[in-house]
Amino acid sequence: MTANTQTITMKNRRDRDFLRICRRIVSESTRPLTAAQIAKAAAESPAPEFYVTFTYARRRLSYLRRNGLDRTAHDGPAAAFDELRRRVDSLMDRKGITESEALALVLCEGNAPRFYIRPAAAAFLYGRLRREARENRNRRRHRHIPLPSSGPESRTLKN
């Protein structure tokens, strides 16, 4: 599987999990919520995983160790790698294992504290996922079987 294919798969899993959390927030809400409120709450909810490949995470953590962390990044992907770095460092100190082993354990464990999506991006993502879900529902509802254009079946339909 190529890196690009893995990225697409990760994004699909993230989108599926994000939409599932959004639906849970809507169903558990006792008052009407706007799409932006739903998306923001979902983005701040715990995520099942970090949605990053081992190779990319290792490369990114190595870069951050060499060049330092961007302390201005409080949300989004930079914050995800800051959290990964903290967890990897903690495991390395506690268990005396290599960085690669610690990273593999952290990624296998999953349980990211949130989705690391900025609020505006979360609102856009929620809108896109809702639209796609609605279009898929409509496609299934209005599906028809095309009439055959030739062959014995078409002769029986014409007669």
Side-chain angles (χ1 to χ4, degrees), residues 98-111:
T98 67
E99 183 178 25
S100 291
E101 292 170 332
L103 178 59
L105 285 172
V106 169
L107 291 177
C108 285
E109 175 188 274
N111 300 325

Side-chain angles (χ1 to χ4, degrees), residues 2-156:
T2 65
N4 194 26
T5 306
Q6 288 176 336
T7 303
I8 291 169
T9 304
M10 293 275 182
K11 284 180 117 174
N12 290 343
R13 282 202 320 250
R14 184 215 50 201
D15 292 354
R16 182 194 63 219
D17 292 339
F18 184 77
L19 186 58
R20 183 176 45 79
I21 301 253
C22 287
R23 287 177 174 157
R24 190 193 75 218
I25 288 168
V26 169
S27 69
E28 293 174 355
S29 176
T30 58
R31 60 184 174 84
L33 297 171
T34 65
Q37 291 171 325
I38 295 166
K40 185 176 187 287
E44 294 170 351
S45 296
E49 58 182 295
F50 280 95
Y51 307 104
V52 64
T53 63
F54 173 81
T55 305
Y56 181 71
R58 188 175 57 189
R59 193 171 55 231
R60 186 79 175 144
L61 289 178
S62 176
Y63 173 83
L64 291 174
R65 286 193 194 290
R66 284 192 317 272
N67 298 312
L69 296 170
D70 181 8
R71 291 291 171 198
T72 61
H74 300 293
D75 59 358
F81 285 104
D82 192 31
E83 176 65 22
L84 275 174
R85 182 197 51 80
R86 271 197 303 274
R87 289 185 182 192
V88 165
D89 289 347
S90 173
L91 270 176
M92 287 170 55
D93 291 343
R94 280 187 326 203
K95 295 190 176 190
I97 56 179
T98 67
E99 183 178 25
S100 291
E101 292 170 332
L103 178 59
L105 285 172
V106 169
L107 291 177
C108 285
E109 175 188 274
N111 300 325
R114 58 193 177 104
F115 275 92
Y116 297 105
I117 304 173
R118 291 184 176 95
F124 179 80
L125 177 62
Y126 180 54
R128 181 177 62 81
L129 294 173
R130 285 177 61 197
R131 184 178 61 251
E132 288 173 2
R134 184 173 46 251
E135 289 169 357
N136 286 337
R137 238 186 349 263
N138 288 340
R139 242 184 253 126
R140 283 192 309 267
R141 192 176 299 149
H142 300 293
R143 189 172 42 191
H144 69 280
I145 300 171
L147 294 173
S149 58
S150 64
E153 301 89 16
S154 64
R155 280 184 237 124
T156 56

